[in-house]
Amino acid sequence: MFGPPNQGSEVVDRISPWRLFGAINGPAGRELGTDAGSTPNRFGPVNYPVGVIAGRRSINGINSLMIPGPDDGKGSVERTKVAGMADHIVIPATHPFLMKDPEAIRQVQFFLTNGRFAHELGR
């Protein structure tokens, strides 16, 4: 998973009431908050091998002001975690470019072969 809102997004909590947010993201966007009834928080733990890659760089300083701790501009690193995951790694990448980041790609390849990330590789 690349930067998933597995425990919801703090940004959604703050701006989902805005009319513009609803016009752009629709009803599904409003389901990605952090409250217990939000869609991500209703899924529960995974029971299959999942690796989560989180980014810790942001190109959206305004969003980052709404997010506690390290973040990728859309959500906190901590909220990307999901119970039952096989591994979790944080890389210096932004949310919009996480899937094309060379380090993320290397980590996915390593995970698919080894069932864990190569924490020792670093960047």
Side-chain angles (χ1 to χ4, degrees):
M1 298 176 131
F2 291 107
N6 282 320
Q7 297 175 48
S9 170
E10 302 90 346
V11 174
V12 172
D13 290 346
R14 294 286 298 272
I15 67 173
S16 65
W18 299 0
R19 185 178 304 182
L20 182 60
F21 179 91
I24 293 170
N25 298 288
R30 289 194 165 109
E31 293 180 11
L32 297 177
T34 63
D35 64 279
S38 71
T39 298
N41 286 315
R42 290 192 325 240
F43 288 136
V46 294
N47 59 3
Y48 45 88
V50 171
V52 178
I53 300 175
R56 68 170 185 257
R57 286 200 180 143
S58 175
I59 56 174
N60 190 327
I62 294 171
N63 280 2
S64 290
L65 290 173
M66 299 179 225
I67 305 168
D71 69 271
D72 67 0
K74 297 292 184 185
S76 68
V77 166
E78 191 60 32
R79 290 194 170 275
T80 63
K81 296 177 181 176
V82 63
M85 65 186 169
D87 204 355
H88 184 271
I89 194 166
V90 182
I91 64 171
T94 64
H95 189 84
F97 303 109
L98 201 49
M99 289 186 291
K100 292 188 176 192
D101 184 87
E103 176 64 13
I105 293 167
R106 280 191 293 276
Q107 292 292 346
V108 168
Q109 291 169 331
F110 192 91
F111 185 89
L112 291 173
T113 302
N114 300 286
R116 66 176 187 83
F117 294 119
H119 295 270
E120 62 278 1
L121 285 180
R123 194 172 236 214

